Amino acid sequence: MAHINENFLKLQKNYLFADIAKKVSAFKESHPQANVISLGIGDVTQPLAPAVIEAMHKAVDDMSTKETFHGYGPEEGYLWLREAIAKNDYLARGIQIEPTEVFVNDGAKSDTGNISELIRWDNSMAVTDPIYPVYIDSNVMIGRAGVYEDGHWSNVTYMPCDEANQFVPQIPDHRVDMIYLCYPNNPTGMVISKEELAKWVDYAIKNDAIILYDAAYEAYIQDPNIPHSIYEIEGAKKVAIEFHSYSKTAGFTGVRCGYTVIPKELTAKTADGHRVEVAPFWDRRQCTKFNGTSYISQRAAEAIYTTEGKKQIKQTIAYYMENARIMREGLVELGLTVYGGENAPYLWVKTPNNAPSWKFFEEILYGAQVVCTPGVGFGQAGEGFIRLTSFGNREDCLEAMTRIKKWLKA
């Protein structure tokens, strides 16, 4: 008899955004004339950059003739894209990353979820709270998270990020094996300084831990003093894996492409104490379970690094950050407490009168026909907050602020 992996039974209800979709769908059914504006789910709205579109058209043409047709590509990604990544995202910032240390994927979500396979199921982990749900759920699925009690998993160390500590996670007072960090942070939109990030690198070196660093939103950083990569910190190559995505950087949510960096210097121990490089194991895993990102998507990603591509991507990011400014200033004028939105496309808004997150979600949906994301969906420390995204159309952002203002002042 086949037995199900019972770790899946431990997962808490539905995925957060599936719950939101159900609630919004129920509202639309009962209010068919309502024009709902979504500022909740972080999907982009602006079209792909012209340079990207041109590259994709050419790539499609390549597939139309025998001479230029591409079938299976390298599971790690085509070398020309890996070289472009190493040159533009790292060398340009004074960081030496070899193209062979770059692994192209179909988006950061896949690799941040799958990376847990590299580390023994009984290793401990630490996460910031609130946190992107995929980090926890993927570890629940393989049995690492332990038992769920009172809103927490027994084998997970939670590091609250709240107003009390100015959203700076405190380093654990004990040893953990895996540490998930995401900066600029999803969901709070907050960033981390080089000084604070250096403390984490030092901790990982001292405790022989691995940092899983999600830099999916680094392109939105406006402050020149904020690190774009953990590898800006000395010693980080020995202890960190870094994830990048083109989804929000270049609007690739429907194209699917990103990459993971695993330096050759990163090692881990076997049960008998031998040290081994981590990258070859990830390479082996990818070659077994992944056939590589499509040729067309990779040519699209390559175009981001052209002169025109860089210019066009910056314009799109500026558009979203202007949305964030409009939303942030509008909400502050209403007397709301707002974090983020300055170096990230997310705003972390404190609910009025300490209203529970899901209660406020319902109130703003029915009162202003605006969709947000309940902060508690990202963890217990997110209770009393909501997340808003700046990825909408400008007209929708302006209309949403008008509606919220009218609703709150009613």
Side-chain angles (χ1 to χ4, degrees):
M1 178 184 293
H3 290 83
I4 194 72
N5 175 359
E6 294 188 15
N7 291 309
F8 278 74
L9 299 176
K10 300 177 182 178
L11 292 170
Q12 301 304 296
K13 298 181 181 179
N14 294 320
Y15 184 53
L16 170 62
F17 297 107
D19 281 339
I20 291 174
K22 287 183 178 180
K23 290 180 180 292
V24 173
S25 178
F27 172 80
K28 288 181 177 180
E29 285 183 13
S30 60
H31 301 77
Q33 304 303 317
N35 176 23
V36 177
I37 297 176
S38 178
L39 300 179
I41 297 176
D43 199 0
V44 295
T45 56
Q46 298 307 294
L48 297 171
V52 170
I53 292 295
E54 182 180 351
M56 293 181 77
H57 280 307
K58 184 179 183 303
V60 170
D61 289 339
D62 288 346
M63 304 297 278
S64 68
T65 66
K66 184 176 181 179
E67 291 74 22
T68 54
F69 174 79
H70 288 75
Y72 288 125
E75 288 86 353
E76 306 86 353
Y78 287 100
L79 185 58
W80 35 262
L81 177 55
R82 300 165 84 190
E83 289 175 339
I85 291 168
K87 177 182 178 181
N88 291 278
D89 287 345
Y90 291 99
L91 188 59
R93 294 194 175 100
I95 304 169
Q96 293 287 338
I97 292 292
E98 297 297 324
T100 53
E101 296 175 313
V102 177
F103 297 84
V104 180
N105 58 38
D106 60 353
K109 183 177 183 178
S110 296
D111 279 9
T112 54
N114 294 329
I115 202 72
S116 60
E117 295 180 24
L118 282 187
I119 303 170
R120 275 175 55 112
W121 69 271
D122 56 351
N123 277 197
S124 60
M125 58 183 285
V127 299
T128 57
D129 182 7
I131 187 175
Y132 182 43
V134 169
Y135 305 153
I136 294 253
D137 287 355
S138 58
N139 281 282
V140 172
M141 291 173 181
I142 64 172
R144 177 178 289 119
V147 179
Y148 189 75
E149 294 179 340
D150 300 323
H152 291 89
W153 294 93
S154 61
N155 198 37
V156 177
T157 295
Y158 292 85
M159 303 173 292
C161 295
D162 50 33
E163 291 178 298
N165 59 19
Q166 298 182 319
F167 298 93
V168 177
Q170 299 301 300
I171 292 177
D173 58 5
H174 57 280
R175 185 186 178 283
V176 294
D177 301 302
M178 305 163 54
I179 304 160
Y180 284 87
L181 296 177
C182 173
Y183 288 101
N185 186 258
N186 177 17
T188 67
M190 301 298 282
V191 291
I192 192 168
S193 68
K194 288 185 178 179
E195 293 73 21
E196 287 296 327
L197 193 51
K199 294 177 183 178
W200 284 102
V201 172
D202 290 343
Y203 172 89
I205 292 174
K206 180 179 179 181
N207 291 278
D208 203 9
I210 292 180
I211 297 174
L212 304 172
Y213 193 79
D214 190 347
Y217 305 96
E218 60 82 18
Y220 287 83
I221 294 173
Q222 310 294 304
D223 186 338
N225 297 313
I226 298 300
H228 287 254
S229 167
I230 194 171
Y231 302 128
E232 294 180 40
I233 308 301
E234 185 177 357
K237 290 184 186 179
K238 299 178 181 178
V239 295
I241 295 173
E242 185 164 277
F243 307 93
H244 283 254
S245 172
Y246 298 118
S247 287
K248 310 303 166 55
T249 301
F252 275 34
T253 53
V255 176
R256 309 312 304 152
C257 192
Y259 65 88
T260 296
V261 175
I262 304 183
K264 295 177 181 177
E265 296 176 41
L266 178 64
T267 61
K269 285 185 178 180
T270 61
D272 59 6
H274 288 86
R275 299 208 74 88
V276 294
E277 288 185 23
V278 173
F281 287 87
W282 183 246
D283 193 3
R284 183 66 172 84
R285 187 265 176 207
Q286 293 296 80
C287 289
T288 301
K289 294 188 175 184
F290 183 56
N291 267 336
T293 307
S294 80
Y295 171 74
I296 297 170
S297 294
Q298 291 191 64
R299 281 299 185 191
E302 181 190 32
I304 294 169
Y305 299 110
T306 64
T307 300
E308 282 304 306
K310 290 178 181 179
K311 179 181 178 181
Q312 293 161 6
I313 295 302
K314 285 183 179 179
Q315 291 172 344
T316 301
I317 290 174
Y319 177 93
Y320 290 134
M321 290 308 294
E322 176 63 9
N323 283 352
R325 183 194 66 79
I326 291 170
M327 294 164 62
R328 181 182 174 89
E329 291 182 358
L331 294 169
V332 170
E333 286 178 7
L334 290 171
L336 298 177
T337 301
V338 184
Y339 299 94
E342 295 177 312
N343 291 286
Y346 294 122
L347 291 84
W348 194 237
V349 185
K350 191 172 183 179
T351 59
N353 303 315
N354 294 315
S357 296
W358 276 110
K359 183 175 185 293
F360 189 74
F361 168 88
E362 299 275 359
E363 291 175 346
I364 196 172
L365 174 60
Y366 282 80
Q369 291 80 59
V370 172
V371 178
C372 64
T373 304
V376 72
F378 297 99
Q380 294 297 310
E383 181 60 277
F385 287 86
I386 60 167
R387 189 194 74 173
L388 297 176
T389 81
S390 63
F391 291 122
N393 292 309
R394 180 66 45 77
E395 312 81 59
D396 286 342
C397 286
L398 291 169
E399 174 62 19
M401 291 304 103
T402 299
R403 291 186 191 180
I404 293 173
K405 180 178 181 179
K406 182 178 179 180
W407 169 61
L408 287 177
K409 290 189 173 183

